[in-house]
Amino acid sequence: MDAVVVHGDNEPVGKYWEMLQKTYGARLSFHRYVAPDSVWSKTIGHVFHKSDIARVELLRRYGGFYLDWDVIVLKNVQEFLHYDAVIGVDMLAGIVEALQTSVMFSKPEGTFLTELIHTYRDYNGSRWNYLCCILPAKVSEKHPRSILIEPQLAYQVYAESFGAELLSSRATHWQQYYSYHVIDPKPDTEAAYDGVFGDLSVTKLQTTFGDIVRHVLSTSALRSLL
């Protein structure tokens, strides 16, 4: 890992952010970024769509890996660096032809993201997953050589299923994926597990999530927390 850049309108605060700053030093930085209000002169009506557009613009500009804030990286992704772009398959869209931009890689000024931005001329805010799932699939069909589609790039689970899938069972399916995406965790969901997540007690869980946490910490610069 050469660098981790957190883009947002407000810099994170708190003990865990301070822990990461101490651990990674100059390799971790925060860049203030104001989310776009319009695209191709069309007003962006939903915060989700602002995020969809912002991630594509930033990744096209700088290159590298993009991760949603609720993604847990499980495997080394260095093997993808020689591709122009890499994207995963959306497991939850409810349709066959859908990709996901919650985890993706691109070289700066890559063809795939450049073409994706051009499709935003037809922006329609009525479909929440159109920008992040449907349009990327359409662009990949027109420019198949510009992108690697990796089905195991990210496993997805909605936060509503978090307890049943990660805290109340013990499975090994996550081991075949490069990342685990717990989609849209909300404060009320987190509050329900306050007792479980007290500091580092999660490392003691004999569940799927406990296994994931121990695996991640054991392969990172934070292994001393185990």
Side-chain angles (χ1 to χ4, degrees), residues 3 15 20 22 44-45 54 81 85 96 98 113 124 147 157 162 189 193 212 217-218 223:
K15 65 179 182 179
L20 291 174
K22 182 177 180 180
I44 305 172
L81 296 182
V96 176
L113 294 188
N124 183 338
I147 185 80
V157 58
F162 185 79
T189 304
Y193 301 112
I212 289 174
L217 291 179
S218 68
R223 62 179 63 88

Side-chain angles (χ1 to χ4, degrees), residues 89-154:
V89 176
D90 193 292
M91 303 167 58
L92 305 173
I95 60 175
V96 176
E97 300 299 333
L99 302 178
Q100 60 158 311
T101 60
S102 58
V103 181
M104 57 180 171
F105 167 80
S106 178
K107 293 182 178 178
E109 308 296 329
T111 299
F112 178 77
L113 294 188
T114 299
E115 295 297 327
L116 184 56
I117 288 175
H118 287 164
T119 66
Y120 294 164
R121 293 177 184 273
D122 301 321
Y123 170 67
N124 183 338
S126 64
R127 300 176 64 183
W128 74 269
N129 66 343
Y130 191 65
L131 297 183
C132 65
C133 302
I134 311 303
L135 279 183
K138 292 181 179 294
V139 173
S140 71
E141 291 174 357
K142 291 183 178 180
H143 304 276
R145 294 186 178 181
S146 70
I147 185 80
L148 170 68
I149 300 174
E150 173 51 69
Q152 295 180 327
L153 190 61

Side-chain angles (χ1 to χ4, degrees), residues 151-211:
Q152 295 180 327
L153 190 61
Y155 181 86
Q156 299 167 288
V157 58
Y158 280 116
E160 289 82 355
S161 305
F162 185 79
E165 184 154 339
L166 294 178
L167 294 180
S168 302
S169 63
R170 198 166 195 177
T172 59
H173 63 275
W174 59 271
Q175 296 176 4
Q176 61 187 300
Y177 291 91
Y178 288 89
S179 63
Y180 208 109
H181 186 194
V182 182
I183 299 175
D184 196 24
K186 297 178 176 62
D188 56 344
T189 304
E190 295 166 5
Y193 301 112
D194 276 348
V196 175
F197 296 126
D199 287 329
L200 297 174
S201 62
V202 67
T203 63
K204 307 301 182 183
L205 287 176
Q206 299 304 307
T207 64
T208 304
F209 192 61
D211 290 339

Side-chain angles (χ1 to χ4, degrees), residues 13-45:
V13 296
K15 65 179 182 179
Y16 294 115
W17 178 245
E18 293 171 0
M19 180 189 301
L20 291 174
Q21 288 177 311
K22 182 177 180 180
T23 301
Y24 293 103
R27 291 184 294 167
L28 174 68
S29 62
F30 171 77
H31 286 185
R32 190 169 300 281
Y33 177 82
V34 178
D37 292 320
S38 64
V39 60
W40 297 111
S41 300
K42 294 184 177 182
T43 300
I44 305 172

